[in-house]
Amino acid sequence: MLTIAGIGPGKREGMTEEVLLALAQCDCIVGYTVYTELVRALFPDKEYYATPMTQETERCLWAIGQARAGRDVVVVCGGDGGVYGMAGLVCELLASASCGEDTAADGEWGGLTDSVGLRILPGVTAALSGAAVLGAPLAHDFAVISLSDRLTPWECIERRLQAAAMGDFAICLYNPASKGRPEHLRRACDVLLHSGYVEADRICGAVRNIGREGQEQRIMTLGELRDHPADMFTTVYVGSSRTLRLGKYMVTPRGYRRSS
Ligand code: SAH
């Protein structure tokens, strides 16, 4: 059995019952070191296989091998496994290992993944857990964009930022910065400011360490967001033209009050 489990932002209360049950029942827990350490505190007696960030493929292949050998394996992902997580990669690896990259026709996927008993259990993704800290910034249409150019060309990220600005979506930004690319958030703010659709006083927010020790949040303008010290444990929100700052809350009204 191979389970991909989204563990939510980190604390036990943020995990679903089915994820906790899968973790309690499995033989082995696999994941990026940050996430396996969060789970280890709850299930100290399990076997762990942790690798650093850039070894996703190797880690998933190991998990697939263990599951094929008959073990009950859980691959843990922060938030949700299908949102910048391992779920897609595991499906791709299962398909290509069984019939070759070029021959994985649509109809074959279900049977292939069943060969290891694949289950994908959802979790609360950072966009949602961080939004709940700020108030309700994503209460109307929104777009989610990752600022990591490790696997996506920066030109593509810029195009998506411009399209979201043109569509007047509230925007949630994942991977706003890291040690290797500290300036990405500022560059993204400048793309939005130069798009012609977003002004410098647009309401924005940032939440760091959601659901973990040291959680902190701030509501600010887009002009201020340019200089905000975001890191890889921060999720960022850029409001739509309707988004308001209501005291300590960031809210994108859905429109109920206008229609009543
Ligand atoms: N699968 C994860 C996202 C992985 S991408 C999910 O669904 O949440 C990594 C990015 O997610 C981080 O750079 C950050 O922007 C965001 N993130 C994940 N967990 C977070 C947390 N606890 N606090 C703040 N941001 C978080």
Side-chain angles (χ1 to χ4, degrees), residues 9 78-80 83-84 125-126 174-176 209-210 212 232-235:
D80 182 88
V83 180
Y84 311 119
T125 189
Y174 282 63
N175 298 300
N209 282 329
I210 304 161
R212 297 183 193 159
M232 62 184 292
F233 300 110
T234 307
T235 299

Side-chain angles (χ1 to χ4, degrees), residues 147-149 152-159 161 184 187-188 191:
L147 297 188
S148 170
D149 62 354
T152 306
W154 180 256
E155 303 71 56
C156 176
I157 296 170
E158 279 199 6
R159 243 188 354 263
L161 288 165
H184 275 197
R187 282 171 69 186
V191 170

